[in-house]
Amino acid sequence: MRSKTKLTSFFTLAAGWLISAPLWADNHVPVTLVYQDAAGVGVNDVRSLTLPDGTVTTVGDFRKSTLEYVARAVALQFNNSAPIEWGVRFESKSGYDAITFGPNFMQVRASEPDPYGIIDVGDWVPVTLFAALRNNDIAKSDGTLGDTYFHDGDNLMQAIMPQSNQAQLVSVAYHELIHMYGFTHSECLGNCITGRHSNNSHVTPFYWYRDNTDALLPYESLDLDGREKAGKSVNRYLAGGNDKAPHTSRFARHELTAGTWSDAGGNYVELYAEPDSNNNWDGQAGSHLSFAVQPAQLMASSAAFTQDLGVAAAILCDAGWCRGQGQVIDISARAVLDSNASSASQTYIDVIFENTQSTDVAQAAAHIRLDPAYNNVSVTGDTAGCTVTTDVVDCRFSLAAQDTKKLTLTLGALSAAGYVIAGELYSEEYDVDRNGFNNILDATLGKKAADTGGNSGGGNAGGGSGSGPVTPPVTQAGSSGGASSVWLLAMLSLLGWRRMKAVAHKEGPRRQRISYTALPLALAVLLSGCGGGSGSSTSVTPPLSITLAASSSLSENSVIEVPLSVSGAQGGVSASASHNGPEQLVVTPQLTAAGGVLRLQLDDIYQHQDVRLTLTVTDGAGRSQTAVMNVTLQNSPGFHGVISDMPASGISLTEHSSVSLTLIFDGADGEVSIDAVPTSKETDIHISSTLTSGGAILTVTTGELVYHDQPLILDLTFTDEAGTVLGRLQTFALENTSGAQVASAFNQHVSATPAFVALNVERELVKRLSMLAVLMNPAYNEAESALLQQFDRAPGSKAAIDDWLTVHQDDVTRYQLGELTEQALLQAQQALTTLLQQHAAPVDAVISRAVLANGGTVPEIALQAPLLDSASGQLSRFIGNSALGQYQEGQWQFSSQFAFLDPIVYPQNQPCAAE
């Protein structure tokens, strides 16, 4: 018979595992509790509390010790190397034992599959389970994976429940934490605010609906109407079957006495499937066991007070925790003082490991921490596989079906404090243990004192003294003066909640707890509680409080409204929201003094993201309260988009340059091949691509462009390893910078041609030289007009130039229209230059004779082909002629010996007329 003081060690804060910290194995990492209570509240409540065993502690320490005890036990039940953070807080939740929001769900992608092949690609799975399957820390996020709000009321839930011999709070926390490990489903049917939806998940492969002909229909084959019908069928919604759920089938056949079904395909357990009071689908469906299942189950809608996880262990095993390899087990550890063999000077303590099931456990492990107050402790007995160091015994061993392993500790006389031992037992295989509490080896063993009328035994099992558990008189929340009525307004994020409900039994109504779990995007919004109490009341300003889901999820290109409630507000309220996510997420609070919604809108994203959203509400009295929600932003599955860091058009690309586009392949399976087909009149285009993690860098390089600013269109085709093909058109505006310069120069040549053809500068030079010759050279006896007459007869034909102008007057326009190339303009311009030179060359002889006529006083003037001076816009054989001068700071300067040419070439710059 179990000792009725089994929990003495965890009630007594100085005993048990506190002698040293538990040594956790890599495959049994602890659950980390994140306490969210303010000072003086919840686990920080300093009110004095006397526990049923007589221990005096504080309310906060009792709560904290209890929660850590449950978290420690549950971690020993599952093989898990990924950290789990569980947020807890205590606040007023009238009519509720606890409300839990979590765990988050995620969709399995082909790029990150379940390595054990249990969860199909595309199905939804709790993050806690998926992290364990992939052996990574995906379950560790910025914040918790779920938050539980425990009711902070008159009932502190410290009373010992006779069914479990544990405090009421243990079972409440135990039930909620098992939901975090995946005893839940992902759907919202009935009057779901966001619209009905039901995802195939980790449990739906072995969910069934037994129709009116008793034929079993796979749950995954049902449409939404069919799934809703199953959830309201009372006793026709089942889990099990030999194929997909062998452990559940075996458990239903051998251990359950009611609430089951059997056929040729195996054995099945009934799931909760009762419609609500309005005959609507109840969100408990699929996430709890039926009331009809016997023996009473921890995960029933009306939870039993038990240490045994029951058939839920088998369901979680089949859902993935056993990885298709492990089994449902129940191993236990206990320490017993051998009073018969012990004497005043010699003490014998037996440490016993037991396998209570009919299946072998091949790889059990135990970690025992000895009492450091005792020296020279020897360890004998079945020590195979054990190593003993100072104060620690580590063992690795197998336990055959229904077998035991016993170690004996031998030490000297016991002190008055007794002997404190602590430790853990667990499986190192992929097993699910039905009871984690009996895996904890914590006890204080001492001499048996005089009988005080209480129950003997302290700690885990041994001798000693102490009073039995006592249930102090406590006031049940809402138990007086009427009913506590709570209605469910909406279901929008994965949540488990517990509410008080009167259920009629033969012995009359009693209060029961109901765990409630729905799917992502779900939140139980508790609008009001009606009913009253007796006695007087004192007017107290209530605290400002916000109830908001701890987690939600949002698909890209969608909008959801997450309900929230506000209580205790004085006057009007204002709200602000912020988040650490992408700019594509817009959050808008819309609320009144009683509550409202958070409107979440998400545009295109290219990968799943976890975002932490913070809501701050301020009431008319200036009080502020903050709530935090973790939002999973979901990228649509499959290769459905190519995202670029540049727009699809309007990108300018000059000649002899390059531009690189960073591409992200949204949802691609494996590597992606890229086929790029360019379309443009330009041919000197080069395209290359380099694959990156999750995308590629596409580089486009231009060489010498020949046309005027043509478009370049890239027809891009992307194909992933799954064969999904996506296309994208990328357009560039090519910019021919040298062509613009050529076109400008061409126009200037055409504009300057008429002035050049007149040869006014050359004629003025001859005129002035002839005048100078008459004055300066006595030997020169010709009239001044003689050289001018020769000049006027010298130029070549102008007709060829006129013909050129007629033919090429629209060449620049044709170039800009893409009809001519830059090279065609250059060739036409060169032809014009040749014609101009042919026209001007004959006058060079006249200029030479005019120079000679001055008898050496004027230097020889060597003229060249005409050049265009960009500063003056004129064609000239003088400006730009390196034999006559040079450009200085962009301006043409004649050398000193040819300075006399300046007023002839630039008459517009002279202060007086030439005459």
Side-chain angles (χ1 to χ4, degrees):
M1 179 176 180
R2 297 184 186 271
S3 166
K4 292 187 178 180
T5 56
K6 182 168 182 64
L7 295 187
T8 299
S9 59
F10 101 81
F11 279 146
T12 307
L13 302 179
W17 67 90
L18 297 183
I19 63 172
S20 63
L23 179 62
W24 292 96
D26 291 341
N27 53 8
H28 285 275
V29 298
V31 175
T32 300
L33 283 91
V34 180
Y35 297 110
Q36 302 170 347
D37 292 320
V41 179
V43 298
N44 302 316
D45 191 329
V46 297
R47 289 179 294 166
S48 179
L49 176 67
T50 301
L51 299 176
D53 69 344
T55 301
V56 178
T57 181
T58 66
V59 172
D61 285 343
F62 159 70
R63 289 168 168 171
K64 189 172 183 180
S65 297
T66 302
L67 296 177
E68 291 178 353
Y69 176 65
V70 172
R72 182 182 176 205
V74 173
L76 294 171
Q77 294 178 256
F78 298 90
N79 189 312
N80 178 30
S81 62
I84 296 176
E85 290 190 347
W86 181 30
V88 296
R89 71 176 71 176
F90 286 76
E91 64 183 40
S92 178
K93 296 293 179 186
S94 179
Y96 296 81
D97 284 337
I99 302 175
T100 297
F101 301 89
N104 295 334
F105 268 71
M106 64 180 294
Q107 191 174 30
V108 178
R109 300 166 61 92
S111 58
E112 288 187 296
D114 166 19
Y116 299 94
I118 300 168
I119 314 298
D120 293 334
V121 171
D123 284 0
W124 290 77
V125 60
V127 173
T128 45
L129 173 56
F130 193 67
L133 294 174
R134 289 192 59 86
N135 195 33
N136 59 28
D137 62 353
I138 192 172
K140 174 100 173 144
S141 61
D142 183 16
T144 62
L145 285 178
D147 297 334
T148 296
Y149 296 4
F150 292 93
H151 176 55
D152 192 0
D154 293 334
N155 178 17
L156 301 177
M157 294 188 284
Q158 82 275 31
I160 299 296
M161 298 294 102
Q163 303 96 317
S164 63
N165 200 36
Q166 291 176 314
Q168 181 184 359
L169 181 57
V170 172
S171 294
V172 174
Y174 189 19
H175 180 109
E176 301 303 324
L177 187 51
I178 292 303
H179 277 309
M180 289 287 293
Y181 275 78
F183 198 88
T184 183
H185 182 29
S186 176
E187 65 183 356
C188 185
L189 300 172
N191 297 324
C192 187
I193 288 180
T194 58
R196 295 188 307 165
H197 50 277
S198 178
N199 298 318
N200 290 341
S201 71
H202 61 305
V203 291
T204 55
F206 54 90
Y207 276 17
W208 308 84
Y209 169 56
R210 179 168 61 92
D211 68 12
N212 293 332
T213 67
D214 288 340
L216 292 190
L217 305 179
Y219 192 77
E220 292 188 342
S221 70
L222 304 177
D223 59 14
L224 292 180
D225 288 337
R227 295 187 180 196
E228 186 168 319
K229 183 177 181 181
K232 298 167 56 178
S233 64
V234 181
N235 62 350
R236 295 180 177 274
Y237 193 9
L238 309 172
N242 293 333
D243 183 24
K244 296 290 187 178
H247 298 91
T248 305
S249 179
R250 189 179 307 114
F251 199 107
R253 176 179 175 82
H254 295 289
E255 299 205 35
L256 300 181
T257 59
T260 63
W261 176 262
S262 299
D263 66 5
N267 308 282
Y268 310 84
V269 61
E270 293 179 12
L271 299 170
Y272 184 89
E274 294 188 13
D276 65 18
S277 59
N278 295 319
N279 201 36
N280 292 322
W281 179 87
D282 192 326
Q284 298 178 90
S287 297
H288 295 83
L289 299 170
S290 168
F291 286 105
V293 179
Q294 292 296 323
Q297 298 291 306
L298 175 76
M299 299 311 294
S301 176
S302 179
F305 296 109
T306 176
Q307 295 183 9
D308 187 0
L309 190 51
V311 71
I315 290 174
L316 291 173
C317 178
D318 290 324
W321 280 105
C322 286
R323 280 78 156 182
Q325 305 171 26
Q327 57 192 345
V328 177
I329 64 171
D330 187 11
I331 55 178
S332 66
R334 67 184 188 275
V336 179
L337 175 63
D338 189 344
S339 301
N340 294 327
S342 299
S343 65
S345 60
Q346 195 83 2
T347 304
Y348 298 95
I349 296 174
D350 294 330
V351 178
I352 302 168
F353 307 114
E354 182 178 3
N355 179 3
T356 67
Q357 299 295 290
S358 58
T359 53
D360 297 340
V361 177
Q363 296 182 41
H367 180 73
I368 307 167
R369 295 178 293 286
L370 306 179
D371 193 333
Y374 293 81
N375 297 320
N376 301 319
V377 178
S378 65
V379 182
T380 58
D382 187 2
T383 59
C386 296
T387 59
V388 181
T389 58
T390 303
D391 298 334
V392 174
V393 180
D394 277 310
C395 298
R396 300 290 187 276
F397 52 92
S398 61
L399 274 176
Q402 298 181 336
D403 196 9
T404 61
K405 178 185 180 72
K406 183 171 76 172
L407 304 177
T408 298
L409 309 182
T410 303
L411 53 143
L414 284 178
S415 67
Y419 188 89
V420 179
I421 189 171
E424 298 84 23
L425 172 68
Y426 49 86
S427 170
E428 293 192 315
E429 294 186 295
Y430 294 130
D431 299 325
V432 174
D433 199 320
R434 293 173 58 167
N435 185 351
F437 298 98
N438 62 15
N439 294 41
I440 298 175
L441 180 68
D442 290 348
T444 299
L445 307 170
K447 295 179 180 179
K448 185 172 181 180
D451 194 343
T452 61
N455 296 291
S456 63
N460 166 289
S465 63
S467 60
V470 177
T471 302
V474 293
T475 302
Q476 296 286 340
S479 61
S480 61
S484 208
S485 171
V486 183
W487 5 302
L488 180 69
L489 171 67
M491 299 295 300
L492 286 176
S493 169
L494 191 56
L495 85 109
W497 62 279
R498 300 175 67 85
R499 66 181 181 182
M500 304 297 292
K501 178 178 178 182
V503 181
H505 290 278
K506 292 181 180 179
E507 69 275 21
R510 68 180 178 88
R511 296 200 171 271
Q512 307 240 350
R513 285 164 307 282
I514 298 178
S515 254
Y516 207 126
T517 302
L519 84 150
L521 308 178
L523 163 64
V525 179
L526 313 174
L527 276 187
S528 71
C530 59
S534 60
S536 62
S537 63
T538 301
S539 177
V540 178
T541 301
L544 178 62
S545 176
I546 309 171
T547 299
L548 176 67
S551 63
S552 185
S553 61
L554 177 62
S555 299
E556 63 180 338
N557 298 311
S558 67
V559 178
I560 65 170
E561 292 184 345
V562 180
L564 62 96
S565 65
V566 178
S567 63
Q570 303 297 301
V573 296
S574 61
S576 62
S578 61
H579 63 82
N580 61 352
E583 63 182 9
Q584 293 92 331
L585 174 62
V586 178
V587 181
T588 306
Q590 302 172 347
L591 72 162
T592 65
V597 297
L598 272 184
R599 187 177 188 274
L600 279 63
Q601 178 175 340
L602 181 63
D603 294 334
D604 266 322
I605 57 174
Y606 58 86
Q607 63 183 5
H608 293 311
Q609 299 180 58
D610 289 324
V611 172
R612 187 176 179 87
L613 186 153
T614 301
L615 171 70
T616 301
V617 175
T618 304
D619 69 2
R623 301 179 302 167
S624 295
Q625 187 63 262
T626 298
V628 174
M629 180 171 68
N630 294 318
V631 182
T632 299
L633 307 183
Q634 298 172 339
N635 185 31
S636 300
F639 187 19
H640 59 274
V642 177
I643 301 171
S644 173
D645 63 341
M646 293 188 180
S649 61
I651 303 174
S652 179
L653 182 58
T654 60
E655 63 182 336
H656 300 293
S657 68
S658 65
V659 63
S660 294
L661 285 75
T662 299
L663 305 175
I664 296 174
F665 303 138
D666 194 355
D669 186 359
E671 288 192 356
V672 176
S673 62
I674 304 175
D675 183 29
V677 178
T679 300
S680 179
K681 295 186 72 172
E682 302 287 0
T683 58
D684 197 1
I685 306 291
H686 307 278
I687 303 167
S688 62
S689 62
T690 303
L691 291 179
T692 64
S693 176
I697 296 176
L698 184 72
T699 302
V700 181
T701 303
T702 60
E704 179 65 29
L705 302 181
V706 298
Y707 289 94
H708 171 68
D709 298 354
Q710 294 295 303
L712 167 63
I713 300 175
L714 289 185
D715 188 354
L716 301 171
T717 302
F718 306 92
T719 307
D720 71 357
E721 292 183 355
T724 302
V725 179
L726 296 180
R728 175 186 175 92
L729 291 179
Q730 185 73 48
T731 303
F732 300 88
L734 301 180
E735 184 179 348
N736 186 350
T737 52
S738 64
Q741 297 171 355
V742 169
S744 177
F746 187 94
N747 280 332
Q748 288 182 303
H749 275 75
V750 173
S751 298
T753 291
F756 180 84
V757 169
L759 299 175
N760 291 329
V761 173
E762 286 85 349
R763 192 176 190 279
E764 181 67 21
L765 175 61
V766 171
K767 177 182 177 182
R768 294 195 181 199
L769 288 176
S770 64
M771 292 171 61
L772 184 63
V774 171
L775 296 174
M776 300 298 295
N777 186 4
Y780 183 70
N781 55 10
E782 294 187 38
E784 295 178 14
S785 60
L787 288 173
L788 289 177
Q789 293 172 359
Q790 295 176 32
F791 181 90
D792 291 339
R793 295 192 298 268
S797 174
K798 182 175 173 289
I801 297 173
D802 292 337
D803 290 343
W804 186 98
L805 290 173
T806 300
V807 172
H808 296 284
Q809 62 182 340
D810 296 325
D811 277 7
V812 170
T813 300
R814 293 175 63 197
Y815 166 74
Q816 292 172 340
L817 293 175
E819 297 175 6
L820 293 179
T821 66
E822 173 188 338
Q823 189 61 33
L825 286 183
L826 288 171
Q827 292 172 351
Q829 179 181 308
Q830 184 59 45
L832 174 61
T833 301
T834 301
L835 291 175
L836 294 177
Q837 176 63 13
Q838 291 173 352
H839 172 71
V843 305
D844 291 353
V846 180
I847 293 174
S848 293
R849 286 197 292 271
V851 170
L852 291 173
N854 282 274
T857 59
V858 177
E860 182 67 30
I861 302 173
L863 299 179
Q864 61 181 18
L867 297 175
L868 179 69
D869 176 41
S870 59
S872 63
Q874 61 178 309
L875 283 169
S876 173
R877 298 196 297 159
F878 299 91
I879 304 173
N881 187 338
S882 59
L884 305 178
Q886 62 184 350
Y887 279 102
Q888 294 181 4
E889 297 180 356
Q891 295 294 322
W892 178 256
Q893 297 290 329
F894 286 104
S895 58
S896 57
Q897 60 179 330
F898 295 107
F900 65 90
L901 293 175
D902 194 85
I904 300 173
V905 176
Y906 295 110
Q908 67 274 17
N909 296 336
Q910 304 309 308
C912 58
E915 299 297 335

